[in-house]
Amino acid sequence: MPHLDEAFLDSAESLEALDSRGSLRALATSGAQVRRAIVAAREAGIDRVAGGDRPRSVLVASLGGSSVVCDVLDVLAEPGSPVPVTTRREAPLPGWIGPLDLVIAVSLSGRAQGPLALAAEAARRGASLLTVGASDSPLADVCARGRGIHVDVASPAPTSRSALWSMLTPVLLAADGLGLVDCSEAELERVADLLDERAEECRPSSESFVNPAKVLALGLAETVPVVLGDGALTGVAAGRAAAMFARTARIPTTHGSLPDAASQVVACFDGPFSGAGGAAPDGGSDLFADPFLDGPPAPQLGLLVLRDHPVAPGAPDHLDALEAGRLADAVVGSARDAGVRVWEVEALGGHPIERLASLIAMTDYVATYLALGLGLDPAVSRHVTELRDRTS
């Protein structure tokens, strides 16, 4: 199993030296990203998106590090949106998109082929267009020719993964103006404050025994991770976490959300990565195992459960939340009985976007500390660079 150097994680200077593009610094600016994006969206005329008639449908296009924008809008709009909200990563644009519809295309560089092609086709068909990305980019040019609204991403970021809130905020403001979600500027300001608090809690200078992101990184590094959300909202955070663990920390990670993923996750507790193979009953290392006679310890399953904020009794969805909590408790109990190491992270805040932000921010820090603790630069992958060279 990989070894995570705790002393290295506790050295802010060592972390900064390895983090060549300032990924940790970029994550710490998440709150500032929200505030700057609010201003940029206002200056771009985001209110004009909802200035006329409500569109017949909304399609959101993003991929790679910005693909979670699609997932967030989808989960927030799904319960009560008056119009259909769909997501798309790649062309072609669905045949039913036309002048009565709105297409939102998101790309930090403004050059991602999927969103760019979808935006260009939407403009050709006369659909309303909102784009978010770099200024003076092909995406901005397509938007200008289609007489749409383009919001510049002004905040510098080493990767699209660390610029999430610069890209997501304008989309949420537009959706709020259209009545698709309840996510006003005031609510986003509270999100910014929460992200600032998370940045302080998970700062590099905070020692590993009090820094919750470093604690999780140290534990997960010794496991084969599974990230499980206890519902639809936390399922989006689980998908983002798995993507960050794979792309940033280079650790293959599976994910799912309850209730759908309960059986497939619990079934893994019978397999070769559960408490068997030289592990102690509590999922830790067997103190009496001899690495020369017994061989190296087998990789152990680790379960990271993302829990939503408890719903107050009397709330409309209290019974559904209670049932979801019982199922999550049952999965956690089964995991511990099987010798699987378990960690739980509970969402903070009251509004859905606040709760989601608290979970995403935590797992983003965990993934970045995982990479650094394993001696990897979070923003630079040799094989990703080679892949781009081979496909360019």
Side-chain angles (χ1 to χ4, degrees), residues 2-5 8-9 15 18 24 213-223 225 227 241-242 244-246 248-253 304 362-378:
H3 171 68
L4 205 69
D5 188 342
F8 184 88
L9 282 185
L15 293 173
L18 180 56
L24 282 173
K214 291 182 181 180
V215 170
L216 283 170
L218 286 164
L220 287 166
E222 300 175 353
T223 70
V227 188
M244 287 291 289
F245 290 168
T248 299
R250 284 70 141 180
I251 294 179
T253 306
L304 174 60
M362 175 61 73
T363 54
D364 281 358
Y365 274 106
V366 173
T368 306
Y369 282 127
L370 263 173
L372 292 166
L374 294 171
L376 302 168
D377 189 327

Side-chain angles (χ1 to χ4, degrees), residues 34 41 46 68-77 104 106 130 132 164-185 187-188 191 351-354 356-357:
V34 173
I46 198 77
V68 71
V69 173
C70 289
D71 301 327
V72 171
L73 187 60
D74 188 39
V75 75
L76 293 182
I104 303 174
V106 181
L130 168 65
V132 182
L164 168 61
W165 295 99
S166 291
M167 297 181 289
L168 179 57
T169 300
V171 176
L172 292 176
L173 286 173
D176 177 76
L178 291 168
L180 310 182
V181 301
D182 174 21
C183 198
S184 63
E185 283 193 20
E187 184 53 55
L188 286 169
V191 170
H351 190 281
I353 190 61
E354 290 182 69
L356 193 57

Side-chain angles (χ1 to χ4, degrees), residues 101-313:
D101 305 298
L102 169 67
V103 171
I104 303 174
V106 181
S107 167
L108 180 65
S109 67
R111 291 175 169 79
Q113 288 304 310
L116 185 58
L118 290 165
E121 180 61 17
R124 189 186 69 80
R125 296 188 198 176
S128 299
L129 197 57
L130 168 65
T131 59
V132 182
S135 59
D136 300 322
S137 65
L139 186 62
D141 183 58
V142 164
C143 188
R145 287 189 280 112
R147 298 185 178 181
I149 297 167
H150 180 77
V151 180
D152 292 339
V153 176
S155 302
T159 65
S160 58
R161 285 164 281 136
S162 55
L164 168 61
W165 295 99
S166 291
M167 297 181 289
L168 179 57
T169 300
V171 176
L172 292 176
L173 286 173
D176 177 76
L178 291 168
L180 310 182
V181 301
D182 174 21
C183 198
S184 63
E185 283 193 20
E187 184 53 55
L188 286 169
E189 289 286 357
R190 286 192 285 274
V191 170
D193 292 339
L194 186 150
L195 291 171
D196 286 344
E197 292 169 9
R198 202 56 119 184
E200 174 64 21
E201 182 183 29
C202 301
R203 66 191 185 277
S205 60
S206 174
E207 294 182 321
S208 56
F209 62 89
V210 294
N211 185 321
K214 291 182 181 180
V215 170
L216 283 170
L218 286 164
L220 287 166
E222 300 175 353
T223 70
V224 177
V226 176
V227 188
L228 184 65
D230 67 355
L233 188 77
T234 53
V236 171
R240 163 73 174 192
M244 287 291 289
F245 290 168
R247 179 65 179 85
T248 299
R250 284 70 141 180
I251 294 179
T253 306
T254 58
H255 70 93
S257 61
L258 298 178
D260 290 352
S263 296
Q264 69 191 45
V265 169
V266 172
C268 293
F269 303 162
D270 300 329
F273 299 125
S274 62
D282 64 354
S285 299
D286 184 353
L287 295 176
F288 301 101
D290 187 326
F292 296 100
L293 298 177
D294 302 324
Q300 296 299 299
L301 201 65
L303 181 63
L304 174 60
V305 183
L306 305 182
R307 307 289 294 257
D308 205 351
H309 195 68
V311 176

Side-chain angles (χ1 to χ4, degrees), residues 50-78:
D53 295 331
R54 180 179 286 157
R56 177 180 58 181
S57 70
V58 177
L59 182 143
V60 188
S62 64
L63 53 77
S66 58
S67 62
V68 71
V69 173
C70 289
D71 301 327
V72 171
L73 187 60
D74 188 39
V75 75
L76 293 182
E78 190 273 333

